[in-house]
Amino acid sequence: MARGELMKKLLASYGRDDEFRVVVEQIIADEEKKNNHVLARSLRKTLENIGSVAPSTGLSRLLPFPDEAKDFIHRVEPKRSAQDILLSRENTELFVSLIQEFRQADRFRRHGLPLRSKLLFCGPPGTGKTLCAEIFAAELGLPFFHVRLDSLISSYLGETASNIRKTFEFARRQPCVLFFDEFDALARSREEAGEHNELRRVVNSLLIFIEQIEPSGFLIAATNLDQHLDPAIWRRFDEVIWFELPDMGMIEKYLAQAFKNSRINFDPAAFAAELRGYSYADLEKLCVQTLKISILDGNRAVTEAHFRNALRHAQRRRRREAQLDS
Ligand SMILES: Nc1ncnc2c1ncn2[C@@H]1O[C@H](COP(=O)(O)OP(=O)(O)O)[C@@H](O)[C@H]1O
Ligand SMILES: [Mg+2]
């Protein structure tokens, strides 16, 4: 094949590993035919080196991101890993099986079995839905894209569905975790749409895209609503995963972890019963506040008084929030 044609094929294969390799093999064969053995050998060596680097880093190549999506999608670099999240045993098992399935995808595909790739995370705020999605992506070595659904919906009002299509096309081709946060916005919009034809059209086309897409990584949506969630929405997902507020055992575990690098002269587990109803995010704030108070106090150890002080503040805050909600 002419060199120009091979170059074009090489460029077109960008981001698709298998295709890229086939084209490079063709280039090598081509050079060999032309008796350029030194060049052919050196190309082969380079190709082998790519092979040994790319898979072990677990990172996938990035396709160019659709310009139209910049306002509501951004890439997030996960900073935390599996040991930074507390999950129920049930959810841990589920995620382990999803990771296994992703890594063995080819075996399942050979048997014609469908892969689970669309996940819905439900549960109260501050229970780790966003955190878990990020860590999941990091564990899989996939880039993580965060989608703000409310801005996506409003940015599409008055436009065609072609921008949505580009976003989904991206998720189909680029192995990634595409995370739709505040998915409730979709459910709310469906209710509010009523006679608002434009909104209904946008919401419906989003739902159709979700139904039809077969992501090469994962599509994850998160919502704080559970029982209110329209069955028309959740039946489009392969798994619905529940995130709960921590029970006493999990609260104790969280506190132990939060203070594991500090000198501490009381037993935080004694407060677990008092902290029932707190989310992990609430517990995190409480512990961070405790540490700050102890630092300001100039103490080398965290004391019960520091903790109680932070707890009083947290309780006041929760009371105010409850008033706002009611
Ligand atoms: N299950 C958890 N284990 C450990 N920390 C958590 C957990 N859930 C929440 N957190 C802490 O609270 C913060 C906010 O949680 P987030 O993931 O945004 O909750 P959600 O998306 O469910 O509202 C996290 O960044 C993390 O620091
Ligand atoms: Mg969240």
Side-chain angles (χ1 to χ4, degrees):
M1 200 184 292
R3 185 181 288 251
E5 282 308 306
L6 282 173
M7 285 303 206
K8 268 199 255 170
K9 277 175 79 175
L10 187 66
L11 284 176
S13 73
Y14 178 73
R16 285 188 295 272
D17 222 36
D18 294 345
E19 215 176 298
F20 172 78
R21 275 164 199 287
V22 171
V23 182
V24 175
E25 289 290 353
Q26 281 177 352
I27 292 175
I28 293 171
D30 203 45
E31 293 300 331
E32 233 142 17
K33 236 193 288 172
K34 291 188 214 150
N35 281 330
N36 295 332
H37 298 300
V38 178
L39 177 60
R41 246 198 322 276
S42 140
L43 286 174
R44 182 169 305 286
K45 209 161 178 190
T46 310
L47 183 65
E48 278 161 7
N49 284 342
I50 297 174
S52 67
V53 175
S56 66
T57 60
L59 296 176
S60 33
R61 286 181 187 76
L62 275 186
L63 295 175
F65 195 66
D67 261 357
E68 296 81 353
K70 285 208 175 93
D71 290 342
F72 49 82
I73 302 191
H74 56 273
R75 184 163 178 202
V76 176
E77 206 60 64
K79 293 195 180 60
R80 284 175 285 183
S81 55
Q83 72 260 25
D84 297 315
I85 190 165
L86 291 183
L87 290 174
S88 66
R89 182 197 297 258
E90 201 185 12
N91 284 356
T92 306
E93 282 170 8
L94 189 53
F95 283 111
V96 167
S97 86
L98 284 166
I99 289 172
Q100 217 170 26
E101 185 169 312
F102 181 77
R103 295 206 173 124
Q104 310 269 328
D106 286 343
R107 290 174 71 182
F108 294 122
R109 280 199 201 99
R110 274 201 294 279
H111 285 86
L113 297 170
L115 297 169
R116 292 170 294 176
S117 59
K118 289 181 261 188
L119 317 176
L120 180 63
F121 291 3
C122 293
T127 49
K129 300 181 293 297
T130 304
L131 178 63
C132 184
E134 273 183 45
I135 293 175
F136 185 59
E139 289 289 311
L140 294 167
L142 293 175
F144 181 82
F145 292 96
H146 187 280
V147 183
R148 282 285 312 271
L149 202 58
D150 45 1
S151 28
L152 181 146
I153 291 174
S154 54
S155 83
Y156 284 144
L157 286 177
E159 292 196 29
T160 65
S162 80
N163 288 351
I164 306 186
R165 186 172 302 118
K166 282 184 191 133
T167 307
F168 278 85
E169 178 58 21
F170 175 77
R172 194 179 62 76
R173 291 176 52 212
Q174 167 73 57
C176 68
V177 170
L178 191 66
F179 181 63
F180 289 82
D181 211 354
E182 295 166 49
F183 201 64
D184 347 337
L186 195 69
R188 267 200 313 276
S189 303
R190 243 169 95 84
E191 272 168 28
E192 284 164 11
E195 290 307 295
H196 190 332
N197 286 333
E198 184 67 11
L199 186 57
R200 203 163 50 208
R201 188 178 59 74
V202 170
V203 169
N204 285 343
S205 52
L206 254 172
L207 287 177
I208 290 167
F209 276 116
I210 291 174
E211 172 134 47
Q212 291 177 344
I213 192 182
E214 285 175 21
S216 46
F218 289 86
L219 185 156
I220 303 180
T223 169
N224 296 334
L225 306 172
D226 40 34
Q227 65 271 47
H228 303 300
L229 205 66
D230 187 340
I233 292 179
W234 59 258
R235 69 176 162 76
R236 289 177 162 85
F237 290 88
D238 302 319
E239 290 284 356
V240 179
I241 301 169
W242 304 90
F243 288 73
E244 317 270 357
L245 291 175
D247 59 16
M248 293 247 302
M250 291 302 246
I251 293 175
E252 284 178 23
K253 230 172 159 173
Y254 186 92
L255 295 172
Q257 194 160 314
F259 294 116
K260 71 172 188 288
N261 296 324
S262 315
R263 246 187 55 209
I264 175 163
N265 65 11
F266 73 105
D267 179 15
F271 287 86
E274 232 174 298
L275 295 171
R276 254 190 298 215
Y278 279 59
S279 69
Y280 289 101
D282 296 332
L283 294 177
E284 182 184 34
K285 279 195 202 104
L286 172 65
C287 295
V288 166
Q289 209 47 41
T290 304
L291 291 173
K292 284 185 187 162
I293 291 170
S294 99
I295 288 170
L296 285 184
D297 202 20
N299 275 19
R300 303 251 297 283
V302 181
T303 67
E304 184 167 333
H306 298 146
F307 188 79
R308 280 191 184 284
N309 193 342
L311 181 59
R312 267 196 302 279
H313 182 73
Q315 283 163 339
R316 264 200 307 275
R317 184 191 160 119
R318 280 171 64 79
R319 274 198 298 276
R320 291 214 186 96
E321 277 171 1
Q323 281 165 3
L324 286 176
D325 282 346
S326 63

